[in-house]
Amino acid sequence: GPPEMERMSFVSNDDFLNEAYARAMSLQFEGRYEEAQRLFQIIVEQQPELFWPRYEYALAARNIRDYESAERLMIELRSETQRSGELAHEAAVTNSLGIMYMGQRRNDEALRAFETVASLAADIQDTHYMAVANVNLGLLAKNKGDLPAAHDYMLKAKEVYEQSDIQSLPGTLLNNLSGVLILMGQLDEAEEYSIAAIANFQLTGKRLFESYALSRLSSIHRRRGLLDEAEDAALRAKVVREELGDRRGTAASLLTLADIAYDRGDLTRSYQYAQQARDIGVEIDDQDVNAEALKTIAKAQLALGEPQEAAANYAASEAISRNSEDRMNAFGARYGLARAWIASGNYDGARAIADEMIADSIENDRRREETAGHNLHAQIHIARSAWTEAIASAEQVLAIAQEIGDDGLGAGAHARLAQSWLELEDTDKAALHLQFVLNQRPADADILRLQARLAAATGDHRNAVTVMSEARTRAGESWASEDDEMLAAWQQAT
């Protein structure tokens, strides 16, 4: 199809430079940023007065994570556009700065940048940047845990595009809207947008973005328990990334496959996929990949009953992430470390992490992250069989999940509430909470175990056997001797 904007196909009266620019843009869309940057450099050296090649050169620097150079170049370009009064150019640079700030969790600077883009777009009646500003404000709201606001911003962007009478919605909007809907638990609608995003990226040749959308589709299938479909989408994303020579993306696909194997209960295979990703991280010296891989390795180790080894890898992941200023991954690794400590009986250490997370999240108004601390408290209480206290902590998680519209968080809280009420022998309340979880996680082996226990507690041993047998097929290596004992007892009772 035709380029999305005129400047993508024509920047100079020199045919050679136009050809170089076209090739560079193609490489940029494929995610081959270093190769693209070298071609943009040729154009900049020949015609340094051209804006778009310098802008794309700065974008390539951002995409290869040379943030210091990218920020310096973009600020120079922004100052230049402010002096010349080129408001559309200023909007482009300011938006790209905002995206970089958002990726670095510099949320206040990102917010100011996106609000400036929205204001500039309104001044010049530029529908593209009006929509883009809303998409990015939506992503920022999602990162902060405000899903209703994120959804509203995405819908505003969709409305802007539709009113401008375009033939098809951009893949970036479709993919990002799908991501918000996943968190809101609206999986049918999320799948529709995800499939449309994949088609759009295939049409426009944005192969790297196609791999992102395929990964998102895999996530949707995984949440539904459709693990074969999830694996197929993840493998398709991996093929695209391998064809592009995207080693970092290939590692990300391996980690997705590790998560799917984990859901199957194939814990050894999950560990192996994560270790392959770790090998790539070491090979390309990518600390973010290393941190994510170590965290995924630790998750498999914890499920395999190796809490000490898991704790060591979670701690290593956290250290790498703090060194590279990746706050979100450091947060996730610290949460995993607390879980490993709970499994090894270090309740005081886990409780200290939980309290720290709650205090920090309240201070910085991060409602979604606050739930991590309350979840840890609930897990500590469950490990100590303190069921009333576990209920109190899980109800705090549920209240926040309902406030921010995150059904995935809510499902986890309902699961812990169902377990706790079942231990307290209140089967009615357990059944009420379990029903919410089954709507979200119908194929989860742990939830099926809980459903079987509830059936047995109400005297329905035949149903308990049926459900527990299904749990066994899905549990894989997580199936334990205690599970066999329960199943045998219920079979005898029938």
PDB file of all heavy atoms in Angstrom, residues 171-203:
ATOM      1  N   GLY A 171      -2.169  -0.081  12.639  1.00  0.00           N
ATOM      2  CA  GLY A 171      -1.897  -1.270  13.444  1.00  0.00           C
ATOM      3  C   GLY A 171      -1.478  -0.944  14.862  1.00  0.00           C
ATOM      4  O   GLY A 171      -1.805  -1.683  15.801  1.00  0.00           O
ATOM      5  N   THR A 172      -0.747   0.176  15.057  1.00  0.00           N
ATOM      6  CA  THR A 172      -0.298   0.525  16.411  1.00  0.00           C
ATOM      7  C   THR A 172      -1.487   0.782  17.324  1.00  0.00           C
ATOM      8  O   THR A 172      -1.501   0.336  18.479  1.00  0.00           O
ATOM      9  CB  THR A 172       0.610   1.761  16.373  1.00  0.00           C
ATOM     10  OG1 THR A 172      -0.001   2.769  15.559  1.00  0.00           O
ATOM     11  CG2 THR A 172       1.969   1.415  15.810  1.00  0.00           C
ATOM     12  N   LEU A 173      -2.497   1.500  16.827  1.00  0.00           N
ATOM     13  CA  LEU A 173      -3.694   1.738  17.639  1.00  0.00           C
ATOM     14  C   LEU A 173      -4.406   0.423  17.941  1.00  0.00           C
ATOM     15  O   LEU A 173      -4.781   0.150  19.083  1.00  0.00           O
ATOM     16  CB  LEU A 173      -4.645   2.695  16.913  1.00  0.00           C
ATOM     17  CG  LEU A 173      -6.049   2.814  17.533  1.00  0.00           C
ATOM     18  CD1 LEU A 173      -5.975   3.359  18.951  1.00  0.00           C
ATOM     19  CD2 LEU A 173      -6.959   3.671  16.670  1.00  0.00           C
ATOM     20  N   LEU A 174      -4.582  -0.408  16.915  1.00  0.00           N
ATOM     21  CA  LEU A 174      -5.294  -1.675  17.094  1.00  0.00           C
ATOM     22  C   LEU A 174      -4.583  -2.556  18.123  1.00  0.00           C
ATOM     23  O   LEU A 174      -5.216  -3.155  18.999  1.00  0.00           O
ATOM     24  CB  LEU A 174      -5.381  -2.408  15.751  1.00  0.00           C
ATOM     25  CG  LEU A 174      -6.213  -1.712  14.662  1.00  0.00           C
ATOM     26  CD1 LEU A 174      -5.917  -2.325  13.298  1.00  0.00           C
ATOM     27  CD2 LEU A 174      -7.693  -1.805  14.980  1.00  0.00           C
ATOM     28  N   ASN A 175      -3.258  -2.620  18.032  1.00  0.00           N
ATOM     29  CA  ASN A 175      -2.488  -3.477  18.919  1.00  0.00           C
ATOM     30  C   ASN A 175      -2.517  -2.953  20.357  1.00  0.00           C
ATOM     31  O   ASN A 175      -2.655  -3.715  21.311  1.00  0.00           O
ATOM     32  CB  ASN A 175      -1.044  -3.580  18.424  1.00  0.00           C
ATOM     33  CG  ASN A 175      -0.289  -4.725  19.064  1.00  0.00           C
ATOM     34  OD1 ASN A 175      -0.825  -5.807  19.262  1.00  0.00           O
ATOM     35  ND2 ASN A 175       0.966  -4.485  19.394  1.00  0.00           N
ATOM     36  N   ASN A 176      -2.379  -1.636  20.507  1.00  0.00           N
ATOM     37  CA  ASN A 176      -2.386  -1.056  21.857  1.00  0.00           C
ATOM     38  C   ASN A 176      -3.767  -1.136  22.501  1.00  0.00           C
ATOM     39  O   ASN A 176      -3.884  -1.376  23.708  1.00  0.00           O
ATOM     40  CB  ASN A 176      -1.905   0.392  21.805  1.00  0.00           C
ATOM     41  CG  ASN A 176      -0.414   0.497  21.577  1.00  0.00           C
ATOM     42  OD1 ASN A 176       0.357  -0.273  22.130  1.00  0.00           O
ATOM     43  ND2 ASN A 176       0.012   1.434  20.753  1.00  0.00           N
ATOM     44  N   LEU A 177      -4.812  -0.954  21.722  1.00  0.00           N
ATOM     45  CA  LEU A 177      -6.166  -1.103  22.247  1.00  0.00           C
ATOM     46  C   LEU A 177      -6.404  -2.540  22.693  1.00  0.00           C
ATOM     47  O   LEU A 177      -7.018  -2.800  23.738  1.00  0.00           O
ATOM     48  CB  LEU A 177      -7.182  -0.676  21.184  1.00  0.00           C
ATOM     49  CG  LEU A 177      -8.659  -0.695  21.562  1.00  0.00           C
ATOM     50  CD1 LEU A 177      -8.924   0.045  22.866  1.00  0.00           C
ATOM     51  CD2 LEU A 177      -9.510  -0.110  20.442  1.00  0.00           C
ATOM     52  N   SER A 178      -5.883  -3.484  21.928  1.00  0.00           N
ATOM     53  CA  SER A 178      -5.980  -4.892  22.314  1.00  0.00           C
ATOM     54  C   SER A 178      -5.310  -5.136  23.664  1.00  0.00           C
ATOM     55  O   SER A 178      -5.846  -5.845  24.523  1.00  0.00           O
ATOM     56  CB  SER A 178      -5.316  -5.774  21.249  1.00  0.00           C
ATOM     57  OG  SER A 178      -5.273  -7.114  21.657  1.00  0.00           O
ATOM     58  N   GLY A 179      -4.139  -4.507  23.887  1.00  0.00           N
ATOM     59  CA  GLY A 179      -3.429  -4.683  25.149  1.00  0.00           C
ATOM     60  C   GLY A 179      -4.216  -4.191  26.343  1.00  0.00           C
ATOM     61  O   GLY A 179      -4.217  -4.831  27.409  1.00  0.00           O
ATOM     62  N   VAL A 180      -4.910  -3.074  26.192  1.00  0.00           N
ATOM     63  CA  VAL A 180      -5.741  -2.547  27.281  1.00  0.00           C
ATOM     64  C   VAL A 180      -6.927  -3.473  27.544  1.00  0.00           C
ATOM     65  O   VAL A 180      -7.255  -3.777  28.695  1.00  0.00           O
ATOM     66  CB  VAL A 180      -6.225  -1.118  26.943  1.00  0.00           C
ATOM     67  CG1 VAL A 180      -7.241  -0.628  27.989  1.00  0.00           C
ATOM     68  CG2 VAL A 180      -5.051  -0.155  26.880  1.00  0.00           C
ATOM     69  N   LEU A 181      -7.555  -3.944  26.472  1.00  0.00           N
ATOM     70  CA  LEU A 181      -8.727  -4.816  26.617  1.00  0.00           C
ATOM     71  C   LEU A 181      -8.364  -6.146  27.277  1.00  0.00           C
ATOM     72  O   LEU A 181      -9.172  -6.712  28.020  1.00  0.00           O
ATOM     73  CB  LEU A 181      -9.362  -5.051  25.246  1.00  0.00           C
ATOM     74  CG  LEU A 181     -10.055  -3.831  24.630  1.00  0.00           C
ATOM     75  CD1 LEU A 181     -10.349  -4.067  23.150  1.00  0.00           C
ATOM     76  CD2 LEU A 181     -11.347  -3.514  25.382  1.00  0.00           C
ATOM     77  N   ILE A 182      -7.153  -6.641  27.035  1.00  0.00           N
ATOM     78  CA  ILE A 182      -6.710  -7.881  27.692  1.00  0.00           C
ATOM     79  C   ILE A 182      -6.737  -7.693  29.197  1.00  0.00           C
ATOM     80  O   ILE A 182      -7.274  -8.523  29.945  1.00  0.00           O
ATOM     81  CB  ILE A 182      -5.298  -8.272  27.221  1.00  0.00           C
ATOM     82  CG1 ILE A 182      -5.310  -8.745  25.770  1.00  0.00           C
ATOM     83  CG2 ILE A 182      -4.733  -9.385  28.103  1.00  0.00           C
ATOM     84  CD1 ILE A 182      -3.930  -8.935  25.184  1.00  0.00           C
ATOM     85  N   LEU A 183      -6.148  -6.591  29.661  1.00  0.00           N
ATOM     86  CA  LEU A 183      -6.096  -6.333  31.102  1.00  0.00           C
ATOM     87  C   LEU A 183      -7.485  -6.129  31.689  1.00  0.00           C
ATOM     88  O   LEU A 183      -7.732  -6.438  32.860  1.00  0.00           O
ATOM     89  CB  LEU A 183      -5.227  -5.109  31.394  1.00  0.00           C
ATOM     90  CG  LEU A 183      -3.726  -5.274  31.106  1.00  0.00           C
ATOM     91  CD1 LEU A 183      -2.995  -3.962  31.319  1.00  0.00           C
ATOM     92  CD2 LEU A 183      -3.129  -6.362  31.980  1.00  0.00           C
ATOM     93  N   MET A 184      -8.409  -5.630  30.874  1.00  0.00           N
ATOM     94  CA  MET A 184      -9.776  -5.417  31.337  1.00  0.00           C
ATOM     95  C   MET A 184     -10.604  -6.696  31.282  1.00  0.00           C
ATOM     96  O   MET A 184     -11.768  -6.704  31.671  1.00  0.00           O
ATOM     97  CB  MET A 184     -10.442  -4.310  30.501  1.00  0.00           C
ATOM     98  CG  MET A 184      -9.788  -2.952  30.667  1.00  0.00           C
ATOM     99  SD  MET A 184     -10.501  -1.679  29.580  1.00  0.00           S
ATOM    100  CE  MET A 184     -12.078  -1.424  30.393  1.00  0.00           C
ATOM    101  N   GLY A 185     -10.006  -7.773  30.760  1.00  0.00           N
ATOM    102  CA  GLY A 185     -10.698  -9.051  30.699  1.00  0.00           C
ATOM    103  C   GLY A 185     -11.639  -9.199  29.512  1.00  0.00           C
ATOM    104  O   GLY A 185     -12.381 -10.173  29.428  1.00  0.00           O
ATOM    105  N   GLN A 186     -11.607  -8.248  28.568  1.00  0.00           N
ATOM    106  CA  GLN A 186     -12.494  -8.300  27.402  1.00  0.00           C
ATOM    107  C   GLN A 186     -11.746  -8.985  26.252  1.00  0.00           C
ATOM    108  O   GLN A 186     -11.317  -8.359  25.281  1.00  0.00           O
ATOM    109  CB  GLN A 186     -12.932  -6.883  27.032  1.00  0.00           C
ATOM    110  CG  GLN A 186     -13.713  -6.194  28.153  1.00  0.00           C
ATOM    111  CD  GLN A 186     -14.126  -4.783  27.794  1.00  0.00           C
ATOM    112  OE1 GLN A 186     -14.296  -4.443  26.614  1.00  0.00           O
ATOM    113  NE2 GLN A 186     -14.301  -3.937  28.796  1.00  0.00           N
ATOM    114  N   LEU A 187     -11.621 -10.308  26.380  1.00  0.00           N
ATOM    115  CA  LEU A 187     -10.714 -11.048  25.499  1.00  0.00           C
ATOM    116  C   LEU A 187     -11.247 -11.208  24.076  1.00  0.00           C
ATOM    117  O   LEU A 187     -10.462 -11.238  23.124  1.00  0.00           O
ATOM    118  CB  LEU A 187     -10.412 -12.420  26.113  1.00  0.00           C
ATOM    119  CG  LEU A 187      -9.721 -12.388  27.483  1.00  0.00           C
ATOM    120  CD1 LEU A 187      -9.432 -13.808  27.955  1.00  0.00           C
ATOM    121  CD2 LEU A 187      -8.437 -11.582  27.434  1.00  0.00           C
ATOM    122  N   ASP A 188     -12.569 -11.322  23.912  1.00  0.00           N
ATOM    123  CA  ASP A 188     -13.125 -11.465  22.556  1.00  0.00           C
ATOM    124  C   ASP A 188     -12.807 -10.233  21.714  1.00  0.00           C
ATOM    125  O   ASP A 188     -12.336 -10.337  20.574  1.00  0.00           O
ATOM    126  CB  ASP A 188     -14.641 -11.670  22.625  1.00  0.00           C
ATOM    127  CG  ASP A 188     -15.012 -13.037  23.154  1.00  0.00           C
ATOM    128  OD1 ASP A 188     -14.137 -13.921  23.170  1.00  0.00           O
ATOM    129  OD2 ASP A 188     -16.176 -13.231  23.558  1.00  0.00           O
ATOM    130  N   GLU A 189     -13.069  -9.056  22.283  1.00  0.00           N
ATOM    131  CA  GLU A 189     -12.806  -7.811  21.565  1.00  0.00           C
ATOM    132  C   GLU A 189     -11.305  -7.620  21.369  1.00  0.00           C
ATOM    133  O   GLU A 189     -10.855  -7.165  20.307  1.00  0.00           O
ATOM    134  CB  GLU A 189     -13.392  -6.630  22.347  1.00  0.00           C
ATOM    135  CG  GLU A 189     -13.522  -5.361  21.530  1.00  0.00           C
ATOM    136  CD  GLU A 189     -14.229  -4.256  22.286  1.00  0.00           C
ATOM    137  OE1 GLU A 189     -14.695  -4.485  23.428  1.00  0.00           O
ATOM    138  OE2 GLU A 189     -14.299  -3.133  21.738  1.00  0.00           O
ATOM    139  N   ALA A 190     -10.515  -7.981  22.388  1.00  0.00           N
ATOM    140  CA  ALA A 190      -9.058  -7.862  22.283  1.00  0.00           C
ATOM    141  C   ALA A 190      -8.538  -8.711  21.130  1.00  0.00           C
ATOM    142  O   ALA A 190      -7.649  -8.282  20.378  1.00  0.00           O
ATOM    143  CB  ALA A 190      -8.405  -8.290  23.598  1.00  0.00           C
ATOM    144  N   GLU A 191      -9.083  -9.916  20.970  1.00  0.00           N
ATOM    145  CA  GLU A 191      -8.634 -10.796  19.890  1.00  0.00           C
ATOM    146  C   GLU A 191      -8.943 -10.196  18.520  1.00  0.00           C
ATOM    147  O   GLU A 191      -8.124 -10.253  17.600  1.00  0.00           O
ATOM    148  CB  GLU A 191      -9.284 -12.174  20.026  1.00  0.00           C
ATOM    149  CG  GLU A 191      -8.796 -13.156  18.978  1.00  0.00           C
ATOM    150  CD  GLU A 191      -9.378 -14.554  19.152  1.00  0.00           C
ATOM    151  OE1 GLU A 191     -10.145 -14.775  20.119  1.00  0.00           O
ATOM    152  OE2 GLU A 191      -9.060 -15.424  18.329  1.00  0.00           O
ATOM    153  N   GLU A 192     -10.124  -9.607  18.382  1.00  0.00           N
ATOM    154  CA  GLU A 192     -10.495  -8.986  17.101  1.00  0.00           C
ATOM    155  C   GLU A 192      -9.504  -7.897  16.713  1.00  0.00           C
ATOM    156  O   GLU A 192      -9.045  -7.823  15.569  1.00  0.00           O
ATOM    157  CB  GLU A 192     -11.908  -8.394  17.204  1.00  0.00           C
ATOM    158  CG  GLU A 192     -13.014  -9.429  17.293  1.00  0.00           C
ATOM    159  CD  GLU A 192     -14.383  -8.786  17.475  1.00  0.00           C
ATOM    160  OE1 GLU A 192     -14.487  -7.559  17.255  1.00  0.00           O
ATOM    161  OE2 GLU A 192     -15.335  -9.494  17.839  1.00  0.00           O
ATOM    162  N   TYR A 193      -9.173  -7.031  17.682  1.00  0.00           N
ATOM    163  CA  TYR A 193      -8.233  -5.943  17.403  1.00  0.00           C
ATOM    164  C   TYR A 193      -6.830  -6.481  17.132  1.00  0.00           C
ATOM    165  O   TYR A 193      -6.103  -5.948  16.289  1.00  0.00           O
ATOM    166  CB  TYR A 193      -8.203  -4.954  18.570  1.00  0.00           C
ATOM    167  CG  TYR A 193      -9.391  -4.014  18.599  1.00  0.00           C
ATOM    168  CD1 TYR A 193     -10.276  -4.002  19.670  1.00  0.00           C
ATOM    169  CD2 TYR A 193      -9.619  -3.130  17.551  1.00  0.00           C
ATOM    170  CE1 TYR A 193     -11.363  -3.143  19.707  1.00  0.00           C
ATOM    171  CE2 TYR A 193     -10.707  -2.263  17.564  1.00  0.00           C
ATOM    172  CZ  TYR A 193     -11.575  -2.271  18.646  1.00  0.00           C
ATOM    173  OH  TYR A 193     -12.645  -1.424  18.669  1.00  0.00           O
ATOM    174  N   SER A 194      -6.457  -7.522  17.839  1.00  0.00           N
ATOM    175  CA  SER A 194      -5.123  -8.096  17.651  1.00  0.00           C
ATOM    176  C   SER A 194      -4.968  -8.685  16.253  1.00  0.00           C
ATOM    177  O   SER A 194      -3.953  -8.459  15.578  1.00  0.00           O
ATOM    178  CB  SER A 194      -4.871  -9.164  18.719  1.00  0.00           C
ATOM    179  OG  SER A 194      -3.559  -9.655  18.648  1.00  0.00           O
ATOM    180  N   ILE A 195      -5.973  -9.416  15.804  1.00  0.00           N
ATOM    181  CA  ILE A 195      -5.935 -10.010  14.463  1.00  0.00           C
ATOM    182  C   ILE A 195      -5.908  -8.908  13.396  1.00  0.00           C
ATOM    183  O   ILE A 195      -5.164  -8.994  12.401  1.00  0.00           O
ATOM    184  CB  ILE A 195      -7.140 -10.946  14.265  1.00  0.00           C
ATOM    185  CG1 ILE A 195      -6.973 -12.197  15.141  1.00  0.00           C
ATOM    186  CG2 ILE A 195      -7.283 -11.344  12.794  1.00  0.00           C
ATOM    187  CD1 ILE A 195      -8.198 -13.079  15.204  1.00  0.00           C
ATOM    188  N   ALA A 196      -6.689  -7.847  13.619  1.00  0.00           N
ATOM    189  CA  ALA A 196      -6.695  -6.722  12.677  1.00  0.00           C
ATOM    190  C   ALA A 196      -5.337  -6.023  12.651  1.00  0.00           C
ATOM    191  O   ALA A 196      -4.866  -5.585  11.597  1.00  0.00           O
ATOM    192  CB  ALA A 196      -7.790  -5.725  13.059  1.00  0.00           C
ATOM    193  N   ALA A 197      -4.686  -5.924  13.815  1.00  0.00           N
ATOM    194  CA  ALA A 197      -3.359  -5.303  13.881  1.00  0.00           C
ATOM    195  C   ALA A 197      -2.342  -6.113  13.082  1.00  0.00           C
ATOM    196  O   ALA A 197      -1.527  -5.549  12.334  1.00  0.00           O
ATOM    197  CB  ALA A 197      -2.915  -5.173  15.332  1.00  0.00           C
ATOM    198  N   ILE A 198      -2.388  -7.434  13.233  1.00  0.00           N
ATOM    199  CA  ILE A 198      -1.462  -8.295  12.488  1.00  0.00           C
ATOM    200  C   ILE A 198      -1.638  -8.084  10.984  1.00  0.00           C
ATOM    201  O   ILE A 198      -0.665  -7.929  10.234  1.00  0.00           O
ATOM    202  CB  ILE A 198      -1.690  -9.773  12.863  1.00  0.00           C
ATOM    203  CG1 ILE A 198      -1.283 -10.023  14.316  1.00  0.00           C
ATOM    204  CG2 ILE A 198      -0.907 -10.697  11.927  1.00  0.00           C
ATOM    205  CD1 ILE A 198      -1.780 -11.345  14.876  1.00  0.00           C
ATOM    206  N   ALA A 199      -2.895  -8.055  10.541  1.00  0.00           N
ATOM    207  CA  ALA A 199      -3.174  -7.856   9.112  1.00  0.00           C
ATOM    208  C   ALA A 199      -2.652  -6.504   8.631  1.00  0.00           C
ATOM    209  O   ALA A 199      -2.082  -6.388   7.538  1.00  0.00           O
ATOM    210  CB  ALA A 199      -4.677  -7.969   8.861  1.00  0.00           C
ATOM    211  N   ASN A 200      -2.822  -5.472   9.454  1.00  0.00           N
ATOM    212  CA  ASN A 200      -2.371  -4.129   9.072  1.00  0.00           C
ATOM    213  C   ASN A 200      -0.846  -4.082   8.962  1.00  0.00           C
ATOM    214  O   ASN A 200      -0.298  -3.518   8.013  1.00  0.00           O
ATOM    215  CB  ASN A 200      -2.856  -3.110  10.095  1.00  0.00           C
ATOM    216  CG  ASN A 200      -2.437  -1.693   9.748  1.00  0.00           C
ATOM    217  OD1 ASN A 200      -1.338  -1.270  10.089  1.00  0.00           O
ATOM    218  ND2 ASN A 200      -3.305  -0.957   9.062  1.00  0.00           N
ATOM    219  N   PHE A 201      -0.155  -4.677   9.916  1.00  0.00           N
ATOM    220  CA  PHE A 201       1.309  -4.662   9.881  1.00  0.00           C
ATOM    221  C   PHE A 201       1.841  -5.473   8.709  1.00  0.00           C
ATOM    222  O   PHE A 201       2.861  -5.114   8.110  1.00  0.00           O
ATOM    223  CB  PHE A 201       1.878  -5.197  11.202  1.00  0.00           C
ATOM    224  CG  PHE A 201       1.662  -4.275  12.377  1.00  0.00           C
ATOM    225  CD1 PHE A 201       1.291  -4.782  13.618  1.00  0.00           C
ATOM    226  CD2 PHE A 201       1.838  -2.905  12.246  1.00  0.00           C
ATOM    227  CE1 PHE A 201       1.097  -3.941  14.698  1.00  0.00           C
ATOM    228  CE2 PHE A 201       1.642  -2.049  13.327  1.00  0.00           C
ATOM    229  CZ  PHE A 201       1.274  -2.574  14.560  1.00  0.00           C
ATOM    230  N   GLN A 202       1.143  -6.558   8.356  1.00  0.00           N
ATOM    231  CA  GLN A 202       1.554  -7.344   7.186  1.00  0.00           C
ATOM    232  C   GLN A 202       1.368  -6.521   5.911  1.00  0.00           C
ATOM    233  O   GLN A 202       2.221  -6.535   5.025  1.00  0.00           O
ATOM    234  CB  GLN A 202       0.750  -8.638   7.122  1.00  0.00           C
ATOM    235  CG  GLN A 202       1.132  -9.649   8.194  1.00  0.00           C
ATOM    236  CD  GLN A 202       0.218 -10.860   8.227  1.00  0.00           C
ATOM    237  OE1 GLN A 202      -0.933 -10.792   7.789  1.00  0.00           O
ATOM    238  NE2 GLN A 202       0.709 -11.967   8.773  1.00  0.00           N
ATOM    239  N   LEU A 203       0.270  -5.771   5.832  1.00  0.00           N
ATOM    240  CA  LEU A 203      -0.019  -4.953   4.658  1.00  0.00           C
ATOM    241  C   LEU A 203       1.006  -3.847   4.481  1.00  0.00           C
ATOM    242  O   LEU A 203       1.467  -3.575   3.372  1.00  0.00           O
ATOM    243  CB  LEU A 203      -1.425  -4.341   4.784  1.00  0.00           C
ATOM    244  CG  LEU A 203      -1.829  -3.352   3.691  1.00  0.00           C
ATOM    245  CD1 LEU A 203      -1.988  -4.067   2.355  1.00  0.00           C
ATOM    246  CD2 LEU A 203      -3.120  -2.630   4.064  1.00  0.00           C
TER     247      LEU A 203
END
